[in-house]
Amino acid sequence: DKPSVTKSGRKFGVVRIGRTLHFILNSLDLCFFCRHSRLLGLVTLWLGVIFLAGFLHMNRNVTSVWRFSTKYLRPSHPQMNVMFLKTHKTASSTVMNILFRFAEKHNLTLALPAGQNYHLGYPHRFMAQFVEGFKNMGQSYNIMCNHMRFNLPEVQKVMPNTTTYVSILRDPVSLMESSYAYNKFFTPAFRRSKDVNEFLASPWTYYNMSERTNNVHARNYMWFDFGYDNNAMDTEDYVQSVIAEIEQAFQLMLLTDYFDESMVLLKNTLGWELDDVVYFKLNSRSQETIESMTPESKEKVKEWCSLDWKLYQHFNRTFWKRIQETIGLEKLDQQVNLLRMRQKELMELCLLDPVPIDKTKIKNRKLQPFQSGRANILGYNLKEGMANETLRTCLRLITPELQYMSYLYARQFPEKKRKNTAFPLWRR
């Protein structure tokens, strides 16, 4: 959980030093010091020692804080090489849009799925050959952000050594509800049950381990996306070893449940600008398709998806520790407010409606998002009569992931057959 803000206790030390200096200066006989320059030097040295002692008293932890924070100093130049592990049902489509926009803005090379594929081999573990053009391009890609099942050695064949590895986690309770709605008709364990509460009341009644990847949406979904066995035994040694591996591979872990705070941390970590991480929610569902979970179901998720639960708990703690020791909570709140103000400004500039709308009300069919399961995925209408540059900016913010990926694929590989998805043809 987000910790509360605490105030520093340094004011007393500053006041005490000020009073000491005031007393000493008022007691000095300047003429006396003119005749005793040697004594003047000693007093000056003494004052310096007093000031230094007071400063160290106020900053007794300065050494340890500096040792930690230098690891996360904001880079002097924007980082161009980013690998984002796009976990499922975690607002990762919105992060993907941010990365697509950054790649287009800086004319970067994307590691996109080969041919007519939309995922990088999912649910199979990632292989470098799943990336379009890998045999010829090798380690020359800048951004990788399509769905995959993580496999670090193969990713390292594609991405440069200077790559920043990022992913995102979500509270497994809300993740389960979202996964159930989105994958209701694709996942055998979900199909066999009436609703998410019935499934969680007796998950082994509906869940069959022999169905393997067909059921990954129903148990430890994030654990599977990171490349591990979602049906593994939950032992302390195993869980801690996996968490250690993930910490070693990824420099930054975002949290869906604190998305704006995560965007501020992403911006600072990569040395990007505010407009680089501003966003409109993509792939969100209508309220009537969100199912209410009983208290018993919520507790059951923590047991049924215990690997995901422990993964989330760990990185929730490290997320807030990192913020406290680098940005600080007060500065974080200020930057979050700036992000939300800019988001509101762009929504007023771009959107015909102040909130995402039902798919049936989207006027431009090319901007309709992909629909799945029971979920009713919402989208946006743009205002009319915008200037060309404004229109391009707004289009990038609202374009669904499949259409945007198809556009970028055609732009990066004009000689290849286009992916079979409509996308908006904005012009430069």
Side-chain angles (χ1 to χ4, degrees):
D1 294 334
K2 181 177 179 180
S4 59
V5 177
T6 57
K7 294 186 178 179
S8 172
R10 298 177 177 176
K11 184 176 180 181
F12 173 77
V14 174
V15 172
R16 184 169 61 183
I17 291 172
R19 287 176 177 172
T20 302
L21 291 173
H22 181 73
F23 172 79
I24 292 171
L25 291 173
N26 283 342
S27 303
L28 294 178
D29 182 344
L30 296 180
C31 292
F32 176 82
F33 281 106
C34 291
R35 296 191 301 271
H36 298 82
S37 59
R38 185 176 181 181
L39 182 59
L40 175 62
L42 291 173
V43 172
T44 303
L45 178 62
W46 181 51
L47 291 175
V49 170
I50 291 174
F51 181 80
L52 180 61
F55 180 80
L56 291 177
H57 172 77
M58 294 185 292
N59 297 274
R60 55 187 178 276
N61 294 322
V62 68
T63 303
S64 61
V65 171
W66 174 254
R67 189 182 300 121
F68 183 90
S69 62
T70 51
K71 181 180 177 182
Y72 303 116
L73 282 177
R74 180 182 173 91
S76 56
H77 301 287
Q79 299 300 293
M80 300 294 177
N81 301 325
V82 181
M83 187 278 159
F84 175 63
L85 178 61
K86 188 179 186 294
T87 51
H88 286 81
K89 313 317 301 169
T90 58
S92 60
S93 294
T94 302
V95 180
M96 187 185 202
N97 178 270
I98 288 170
L99 294 169
F100 277 171
R101 284 166 24 220
F102 188 84
E104 188 177 6
K105 173 183 175 182
H106 294 280
N107 198 29
L108 303 180
T109 302
L110 288 146
L112 295 169
Q116 293 298 303
N117 296 315
Y118 297 101
H119 295 164
L120 291 167
Y122 196 88
H124 305 290
R125 295 193 75 195
F126 173 76
M127 300 291 289
Q129 66 195 42
F130 297 157
V131 175
E132 185 68 76
F134 167 70
K135 289 183 179 179
N136 296 324
M137 297 173 64
Q139 225 180 9
S140 62
Y141 297 89
N142 303 112
I143 303 287
M144 174 182 280
C145 58
N146 285 79
H147 277 308
M148 68 157 68
R149 191 175 181 212
F150 191 62
N151 184 358
L152 180 60
E154 290 292 310
V155 172
Q156 289 174 329
K157 294 179 182 179
V158 176
M159 299 303 293
N161 296 332
T162 56
T163 298
T164 301
Y165 286 72
V166 181
S167 191
I168 187 167
L169 298 173
R170 181 179 181 180
D171 186 331
V173 175
S174 60
L175 174 62
M176 172 60 74
E177 188 281 326
S178 178
S179 178
Y180 191 96
Y182 199 84
N183 298 296
K184 171 65 177 175
F185 305 129
F186 309 115
T187 304
F190 291 161
R191 282 203 309 265
R192 298 178 186 126
S193 54
K194 181 182 67 176
D195 55 40
V196 68
N197 290 305
E198 182 178 271
F199 170 74
L200 288 167
S202 182
W204 284 114
T205 302
Y206 311 103
Y207 188 87
N208 189 337
M209 288 181 62
S210 67
E211 291 167 317
R212 298 181 181 274
T213 56
N214 292 328
N215 267 334
V216 297
H217 318 96
R219 192 182 191 202
N220 295 312
Y221 206 171
M222 295 184 292
W223 200 264
F224 183 85
D225 284 352
F226 276 92
Y228 300 97
D229 180 6
N230 64 309
N231 290 312
M233 292 289 291
D234 179 356
T235 64
E236 185 67 20
D237 288 346
Y238 171 67
V239 170
Q240 292 307 314
S241 67
V242 168
I243 288 175
E245 287 180 6
I246 293 173
E247 280 195 314
Q248 184 68 27
F250 289 84
Q251 287 76 58
L252 179 61
M253 197 66 67
L254 310 174
L255 298 178
T256 309
D257 314 272
Y258 299 97
F259 194 80
D260 288 347
E261 291 85 351
S262 293
M263 292 305 98
V264 168
L265 195 55
L266 179 68
K267 174 180 73 71
N268 288 5
T269 300
L270 299 178
W272 290 5
E273 300 301 322
L274 180 66
D275 271 11
D276 293 329
V277 298
V278 74
Y279 66 93
F280 295 165
K281 286 184 180 180
L282 296 179
N283 220 25
S284 60
R285 287 183 291 149
S286 59
Q287 191 63 36
E288 64 269 14
T289 64
I290 298 176
E291 190 173 353
S292 177
M293 295 176 69
T294 66
E296 293 78 15
S297 292
K298 292 178 181 179
E299 288 304 311
K300 188 68 176 181
V301 172
K302 299 174 186 179
E303 175 189 331
W304 174 245
C305 298
S306 61
L307 300 175
D308 271 4
W309 177 244
K310 291 178 179 179
L311 182 70
Y312 177 79
Q313 282 186 307
H314 174 83
F315 283 104
N316 186 27
R317 288 192 296 269
T318 59
F319 178 87
W320 291 108
K321 181 180 178 182
R322 179 165 177 174
I323 283 178
Q324 285 181 299
E325 295 180 319
T326 55
I327 303 174
L329 291 171
E330 290 188 9
K331 188 174 180 181
L332 173 71
D333 288 342
Q334 293 170 5
Q335 294 191 25
V336 165
N337 287 335
L338 288 175
L339 176 65
R340 289 171 179 170
M341 288 171 59
R342 180 58 176 152
Q343 181 188 51
K344 182 180 179 182
E345 180 182 328
L346 285 170
M347 291 182 79
E348 291 174 351
L349 175 69
C350 297
L351 301 181
L352 192 61
D353 310 282
V355 293
I357 57 174
D358 187 272
K359 60 182 181 294
T360 61
K361 298 179 181 178
I362 299 173
K363 298 178 180 179
N364 187 342
R365 294 184 62 186
K366 293 179 180 179
L367 295 176
Q368 289 182 350
F370 176 75
Q371 304 293 319
S372 179
R374 288 181 176 175
N376 177 16
I377 307 301
L378 307 176
Y380 298 95
N381 281 324
L382 292 178
K383 289 182 177 178
E384 297 180 356
M386 288 185 284
N388 287 340
E389 188 59 36
T390 302
L391 177 60
R392 284 193 290 267
T393 297
C394 295
L395 266 174
R396 293 183 180 107
L397 282 161
I398 71 164
T399 301
E401 61 180 282
L402 296 183
Q403 289 93 315
Y404 206 160
M405 179 186 61
S406 298
Y407 163 73
L408 293 173
Y409 180 87
R411 184 172 177 264
Q412 187 166 307
F413 301 103
E415 74 285 0
K416 300 281 186 180
K417 180 182 177 182
R418 292 186 174 186
K419 293 185 186 291
N420 188 26
T421 301
F423 56 89
L425 296 171
W426 57 74
R427 300 183 181 277
R428 294 191 169 277

